Amino acid sequence: MSYGNFGKVFKRLIQSFQFILSKLTERNKIRKPIFLLVAVVSLLLSGCVEYDVGVNFNNSNSGQLVQHIKLGEQLTSFSGDYVYEWLNSIERRARKLEGTAKRISREEVVVTIPFSNGRELQTKFNEFFNSGRQQTTETGAAGNSELPKIESNLLVVQNNFLLVERNELIFDLDLRSLSLIASRGNVLADAGAILDLEFGVKTPWGAKNIQRVETAPQPENKGGQLVWQLQPGELNHIEVVFWLPSPLGIGALLITLFVLGGIYLRYTFMPNPQLQLATKPSVTE
């Protein structure tokens, strides 16, 4: 996810294991040792990349896009310099979108990008995760022909009902290009054993998952947050509906009640100022 550069990291993984492929093939004298390679590489690469994306809403006018990326030792030992630069690029893009990046370790980073409404979330999310497309276009198709193409899009539809706001969040992530890691036509490993991708939504009043198709991933409730385990090799479609309090609407209502309460107290418990003026004795010279 950070998808243009993520494809490059994936390509680097493939290149790193071409040497292992050739050695295993020569040693066992098997032309296509698929089952052996799947077992060995799955063990070597288990949990190589953990990428959690969370959308946290405080109310209709405040929230954060939080990303937690952690790289496994197996990946950094094979392609350390490259993946470290990938993490650095994530930090730079976050700051460009007025976000912050906290480097927990050299292999782990937490990025937080604030947003003030659904439209801003949609703009920042799509700009952040699709920023690699422009780089790919500039470098040319020839040098990137082997990169997995990952498409993502986030859509937020908001409807204001004065005191509350109805939100519908639709997220599509096409990971079909990551179905298998392959090299020279031989299957190496299931990408699900290498990538641990999660997407979460947290709101003050909870959220409701909308399942449009049977194959859509089902969320788990973790501490009031809906969390989806994204599946490499599939088209992941997430749709969720939730309600948020509207600070502007609530504030306007409180101001109106305060004014009406003041008028009521003034004319109920205090004498009418017009009557006071009428009963005052006139001053004669």
Side-chain angles (χ1 to χ4, degrees):
M1 295 179 61
S2 168
Y3 301 125
N5 291 320
F6 189 76
K8 297 178 182 179
V9 174
F10 221 75
K11 181 181 178 181
R12 189 60 178 251
L13 265 175
I14 297 172
Q15 293 172 344
S16 299
F17 276 88
Q18 285 180 349
F19 177 76
I20 297 177
L21 249 183
S22 60
K23 292 298 180 183
L24 285 173
T25 305
E26 293 172 2
R27 183 179 301 176
N28 294 280
K29 296 182 179 181
I30 303 175
R31 177 173 293 182
K32 294 183 178 181
I34 296 177
F35 296 104
L36 176 62
L37 292 175
V38 170
V40 172
V41 177
S42 295
L43 289 174
L44 287 175
L45 292 178
S46 179
C48 265
V49 180
E50 297 180 15
Y51 204 132
D52 302 334
V53 179
V55 178
N56 303 330
F57 284 88
N58 302 323
N59 52 61
S60 60
N61 297 320
S62 175
Q64 303 86 32
L65 171 61
V66 182
Q67 303 160 69
H68 182 194
I69 306 101
K70 185 177 182 180
L71 306 178
E73 294 181 0
Q74 300 93 333
L75 176 59
T76 55
S77 62
F78 279 99
S79 307
D81 294 339
Y82 195 89
V83 294
Y84 291 143
E85 176 55 31
W86 176 52
L87 290 183
N88 293 336
S89 70
I90 290 176
E91 293 180 323
R92 290 192 295 268
R93 291 201 306 276
R95 296 189 181 99
K96 184 179 179 181
L97 296 174
E98 302 177 346
T100 60
K102 180 180 179 181
R103 202 66 175 261
I104 299 176
S105 66
R106 197 180 179 193
E107 296 81 18
E108 187 173 3
V109 64
V110 176
V111 170
T112 304
I113 301 175
F115 58 86
S116 58
N117 52 56
R119 178 171 295 182
E120 186 178 4
L121 166 64
Q122 176 179 315
T123 300
K124 287 187 173 182
F125 188 99
N126 292 327
E127 181 178 347
F128 184 92
F129 287 109
N130 295 320
S131 60
R133 294 181 184 178
Q134 181 65 29
Q135 298 176 4
T136 302
T137 303
E138 293 176 355
T139 53
N144 297 276
S145 58
E146 299 180 11
L147 298 183
K149 295 181 180 180
I150 303 175
E151 301 288 338
S152 71
N153 184 65
L154 181 76
L155 176 65
V156 181
V157 180
Q158 296 179 303
N159 299 106
N160 198 312
F161 293 90
L162 186 60
L163 301 181
V164 295
E165 187 176 77
R166 183 185 184 274
N167 292 262
E168 183 176 6
L169 186 147
I170 303 172
F171 178 47
D172 289 299
L173 178 63
D174 190 352
L175 296 178
R176 287 175 292 186
S177 61
L178 303 184
S179 57
L180 296 171
I181 300 178
S183 177
R184 299 176 184 176
N186 296 325
V187 175
L188 293 185
D190 184 356
I194 299 174
L195 308 175
D196 183 8
L197 307 177
E198 289 187 350
F199 179 81
V201 175
K202 186 175 183 179
T203 67
W205 297 341
K208 180 181 179 182
N209 179 56
I210 306 298
Q211 186 174 5
R212 300 294 185 186
V213 294
E214 295 182 358
T215 58
Q218 292 298 306
E220 296 182 11
N221 195 320
K222 298 181 179 180
Q225 181 183 32
L226 288 183
V227 178
W228 290 262
Q229 187 76 37
L230 303 178
Q231 300 300 321
E234 297 182 9
L235 176 60
N236 295 267
H237 177 81
I238 294 173
E239 193 167 342
V240 60
V241 173
F242 53 93
W243 293 80
L244 294 173
S246 175
L248 292 178
I250 295 174
L253 177 62
L254 292 177
I255 292 174
T256 302
L257 293 176
F258 180 79
V259 172
L260 293 176
I263 294 174
Y264 174 78
L265 293 175
R266 176 67 183 86
Y267 288 98
T268 302
F269 298 99
M270 298 181 67
N272 192 322
Q274 294 181 352
L275 295 177
Q276 287 183 330
L277 292 175
T279 56
K280 277 188 178 181
S282 58
V283 180
T284 57
E285 295 182 357

